[in-house]
C-alpha cells in the first residue's frame, strides 16, 4: 500500500489463519504455519500509513544484511 497502492486489491484481502501458531520462527515455514492466502498477518489491517512507518526499517535491515553477506572486495 505504501509503495504501489494502485496494485492492491483491498476487496480481496482476507484475515485467514494458519493451522498452527508457534511462538517461534521456522525458515522456511512448514505448510501448516502459512494460511491459505499466504499472508502471515491480518491483511485487512494494512495501510499505506503503516507501510510508510515500517519501510525505512525494512530497507535498513535489508541493506545491513546485504553488506554483511555480500561484502565489497
Amino acid at each position: 500500500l505504501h509503495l504501489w497502492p494502485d496494485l492492491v486489491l483491498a476487496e480481496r484481502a482476507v484475515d485467514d489463519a494458519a493451522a498452527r501458531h508457534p511462538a517461534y520462527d521456522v525458515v522456511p515455514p512448514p505448510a501448516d504455519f502459512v494460511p491459505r492466502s499466504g499472508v502471515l498477518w491480518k491483511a485487512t489491517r494494512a495501510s499505506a500509513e503503516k507501510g510508510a512507518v515500517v519501510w525505512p526499517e525494512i530497507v535498513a535491515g535489508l541493506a545491513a544484511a546485504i553488506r554483511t553477506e555480500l561484502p565489497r572486495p
Side-chain angles (χ1 to χ4, degrees):
L1 287 170
H2 168 58
L3 297 178
W4 296 287
D6 53 315
L7 299 180
V8 177
L9 303 174
E11 68 278 2
R12 294 179 58 186
V14 294
D15 290 338
D16 57 351
R20 288 196 293 162
H21 299 91
Y24 50 86
D25 289 334
V26 177
V27 178
D32 62 343
F33 281 27
V34 181
R36 186 171 180 215
S37 68
V39 178
L40 300 177
W41 193 241
K42 296 178 177 10
T44 62
R45 295 188 183 174
S47 73
E49 295 78 18
K50 290 176 183 176
V53 169
V54 300
W55 184 245
E57 185 174 333
I58 292 168
V59 171
L62 183 55
I66 290 169
R67 281 192 300 274
T68 299
E69 300 301 326
L70 303 169
R72 292 183 183 210

